[in-house]
Amino acid sequence: MQGLSDQYGIVAAVTDDDNRATALRTAMVDRIEHGFPHLTAPTLQVVRRVPRHAFVPEVDLATAYIDDAVVTRRDESGRSLSSISQPSMVAQMLDMLDLAPGHRVLEIGAGTGYCAALLAELVGPTGQVTTIDIDPDVTDEAHRHLDANGYSRVTVTCADGALGDANGAPWDRILVSVGAWEPAPEWIAQLAPGGRLVMPLALGRIQRILSFEATAYGLRSRQVLAGGFLAQRGRDAGPRSTAAVGEELQFEAAGELPLVPADIAEMLAAEPVRIWTGVGLAYPSPYDGLLVYLTVHHPGMFTLAAPRTYLPDALRAWGLVYGIAHDGAVAHLSLRPTNPGDPETSHEVGVFAYGPGAAGLAARIADDARAWQHLSHADPVFEVYPKDARIEAEGAGAVVLDKQHSRIRVSWDADPDAIEMHLLDEPFELILNGAKTIEVRSADRKRQALRAGDRIRFTCGDRTLAVRVIDVRRYDSFESLYETEDADRINPCRSIAAQLAGIDALYGPEKRSLGAVAIELRLLDDPDGPHSTA
């Protein structure tokens, strides 16, 4: 064996197991990079660097480097309480956070400490990472793993994560590693201006991982990712009920089950009313967007775990049948290939309904599926408002979800190709009034990708305006940009010195070192664009 010194000054011995672990980790990250080519180099580098097996020492090396979650703690009934998350999912969430050296990060859900180690690598020695968990056994384990692997500067706290950490606030980034019923008001209050929150949001019996940005009213989602985590415990644990019928049927709902499980089972044994909707899904059938749409529109959705021989025609997602109950009837989705001779072809969505009122329920869900098809090109947008906010479900497919601490409006973006950027009141008004025709930004990845013809949707609080990009001019620095561009077209109300001072206050040295872009823009003529309210 030979000696090895890492960046933290820890001297260790390289063994055959170390070499095997490195080879397995390299192969795992290579597969992740191939499957998710959009992942950034810094994220992939830290996943290559941090020894995942050291955070699950009780499992063998091969298991530690499978791209899957590993349950590390269960309750007396066998229900999962803690785990180390799936590496590819963690990598995508780290990318959604858009971390930079020096960031202060709060993680809700400590797990084994593995994710906190990745966060520590990304924010560097000038950053700060605190991870919180409600379970003292979990925090003790995470603390041991982090200390043993050179990450003692990560703060591990045993507390209810719903409360966040006011002592460390404001946080530049908050990562929630548990499935949460809603963003806790404490998380929103403790998020720094311009900060970002990434979390798995529970929507009935499914979850979606969302990247939120802070707004004047609360939060607005930027990205949506399919996936899920173990449910949050503590003050904000979501409602849940389960029931079994015999030894093979397991029902579960968020809240009360809509009907008596034995009655549901009896209905499902009868002949269904079938409606084939004409809604097509391209192979291999990305139906998860349809499930999100149906979930937010049908609070009576439940799941059924059953053998494959039970309801063989039912669409199963993640091994479960998703049922909808309404007015004493129940229904589920089905798929059939458009070309029966070629299973790898597009599919048509069907609705099978049972019980009294089955025909009406089938027709209603079929109409919902057709409505979703017109919106399927767009990701849903989630806006989080205070509990007392007076908001309406505006737009096609929009719905307002009332949670314990908040109201969440879900809508489907009519312009999914528009690039979203946030503005303060003054520049927003100047663009709206035609007095500002150049927007200045750091030349980060998002702005480097801008091209003439792109659309931008600027947001300011609950207001939006839409513009067309006429030209994008790139500069090595903001100083060189102002030597060339007309400062009055950037902000006619402020001198060049005042504008540069504002840029220095907005961007840290890392962002300024990327250079600058001048985005020449023009308001769109769409009457619902510049003056529309979100």
Side-chain angles (χ1 to χ4, degrees):
M1 65 180 69
Q2 63 186 52
L4 174 68
S5 177
D6 69 10
Q7 64 172 318
Y8 294 95
I10 296 173
V11 177
V14 177
T15 67
D16 289 342
D17 278 350
D18 292 327
N19 291 330
R20 181 166 176 254
T22 300
L24 288 169
R25 185 164 62 254
T26 298
M28 179 191 76
V29 181
D30 286 345
R31 290 192 297 272
I32 292 173
E33 185 175 13
H34 178 75
F36 304 91
H38 61 279
L39 290 173
T40 60
T43 294
L44 292 167
Q45 286 167 3
V46 299
V47 179
R48 290 186 191 279
R49 187 181 306 144
V50 176
R52 187 174 189 251
H53 68 282
F55 291 84
V56 279
E58 66 280 6
V59 307
D60 61 84
L61 285 175
T63 301
Y65 288 108
I66 295 173
D67 185 24
D68 201 356
V70 178
V71 175
T72 57
R73 196 173 300 278
R74 299 181 184 271
D75 63 17
E76 60 279 0
S77 66
R79 184 182 177 191
S80 302
L81 293 178
S82 185
S83 68
I84 186 169
S85 301
Q86 182 179 10
S88 60
M89 184 67 66
V90 171
Q92 292 177 85
M93 293 173 73
L94 293 176
D95 252 22
M96 293 167 82
L97 281 170
D98 192 24
L99 292 159
H103 271 159
R104 298 164 50 80
V105 185
L106 175 65
E107 181 191 23
I108 311 298
T112 65
Y114 173 67
C115 191
L118 295 170
L119 292 169
E121 289 280 355
L122 284 165
V123 302
T126 61
Q128 179 180 336
V129 176
T130 293
T131 184
I132 294 179
D133 203 284
I134 197 171
D135 189 330
D137 291 334
V138 171
T139 53
D140 286 349
E141 181 180 53
H143 201 289
R144 289 195 305 272
H145 291 160
L146 288 162
D147 280 355
N149 290 281
Y151 299 98
S152 56
R153 62 191 176 86
V154 173
T155 300
V156 183
T157 303
C158 184
D160 189 342
L163 304 178
D165 182 356
N167 293 329
W171 300 98
D172 299 302
R173 301 289 188 265
I174 298 177
L175 175 64
V176 182
S177 297
V178 293
W181 192 240
E182 62 185 315
E186 288 84 353
W187 303 342
I188 300 173
Q190 294 170 21
L191 197 61
R196 190 171 294 189
L197 165 68
V198 173
M199 63 172 289
L201 177 66
L203 301 166
R205 286 290 294 129
I206 65 175
Q207 294 179 24
R208 281 299 173 272
I209 297 171
L210 303 177
S211 169
F212 284 112
E213 280 194 343
T215 67
Y217 55 81
L219 300 170
R220 180 183 171 91
S221 67
R222 291 174 51 87
Q223 294 172 272
V224 183
L225 176 67
F229 280 67
L230 297 178
Q232 182 179 6
R233 293 185 282 165
R235 184 195 73 181
D236 291 349
R240 175 177 179 266
S241 58
T242 61
V245 176
E247 297 182 355
E248 293 189 326
L249 306 184
Q250 300 287 333
F251 293 87
E252 187 165 346
E256 295 295 324
L257 282 160
L259 296 169
V260 176
D263 293 344
I264 297 177
E266 184 178 349
M267 282 188 278
L268 292 175
E271 186 67 19
V273 173
R274 296 176 174 87
I275 294 181
W276 291 100
T277 63
V279 174
L281 294 174
Y283 181 83
S285 302
Y287 47 73
D288 55 292
L290 174 57
L291 282 180
V292 171
Y293 189 90
L294 294 177
T295 297
V296 300
H297 286 86
H298 294 274
M301 182 175 277
F302 61 92
T303 57
L304 170 61
R308 288 277 177 178
T309 53
Y310 186 83
L311 300 178
D313 294 325
L315 182 154
R316 279 175 164 79
W318 307 285
L320 300 172
V321 176
Y322 285 73
I324 295 173
H326 186 72
D327 288 344
V330 295
H332 63 74
L333 297 180
S334 183
L335 293 177
R336 67 179 180 185
T338 304
N339 178 5
D342 180 8
E344 295 188 4
T345 185
S346 61
H347 291 76
E348 182 184 5
V349 176
V351 182
F352 290 20
Y354 308 76
L361 179 58
R364 177 180 174 182
I365 297 174
D367 286 343
D368 285 338
R370 296 179 187 116
W372 167 80
Q373 186 177 37
H374 294 294
L375 305 168
S376 60
H377 61 281
D379 278 337
V381 175
F382 295 79
E383 299 167 286
V384 182
Y385 291 83
K387 184 67 175 177
D388 59 356
R390 301 176 66 179
I391 58 174
E392 302 295 333
E394 301 170 348
V399 65
V400 174
L401 308 176
D402 285 303
K403 301 281 189 170
Q404 180 182 359
H405 304 295
S406 62
R407 307 191 76 201
I408 302 178
R409 177 162 56 202
V410 188
S411 58
W412 275 258
D413 196 341
D415 189 10
D417 295 326
I419 298 159
E420 202 162 286
M421 298 185 190
H422 299 286
L423 289 173
L424 297 176
D425 286 328
E426 182 181 76
F428 187 93
E429 291 292 341
L430 290 172
I431 293 175
L432 187 63
N433 296 325
K436 174 179 171 64
T437 57
I438 294 176
E439 171 65 2
V440 172
R441 298 271 170 149
S442 167
D444 57 17
R445 294 194 311 271
K446 183 175 180 179
R447 282 83 193 183
Q448 285 279 12
L450 282 172
R451 297 290 185 272
D454 286 344
R455 296 189 303 282
I456 299 174
R457 183 173 51 253
F458 288 115
T459 62
C460 177
D462 60 356
R463 297 187 298 165
T464 67
L465 64 84
V467 303
R468 177 80 66 184
V469 175
I470 304 304
D471 191 20
V472 181
R473 296 179 285 275
R474 294 167 176 81
Y475 297 88
D476 292 336
S477 66
F478 284 99
E479 288 75 14
S480 61
L481 182 152
Y482 275 91
E483 290 173 0
T484 304
E485 300 290 341
D486 182 350
D488 284 342
R489 294 184 64 193
I490 300 171
N491 190 330
C493 302
R494 295 178 183 266
S495 67
I496 292 178
Q499 292 184 46
L500 285 170
I503 288 167
D504 286 344
L506 178 64
Y507 293 124
E510 296 85 1
K511 284 284 190 180
R512 292 200 301 274
S513 69
L514 298 175
V517 293
I519 309 166
E520 187 170 352
L521 48 86
R522 183 181 66 219
L523 279 169
L524 290 175
D525 296 328
D526 181 358
D528 294 326
H531 303 282
S532 65
T533 57

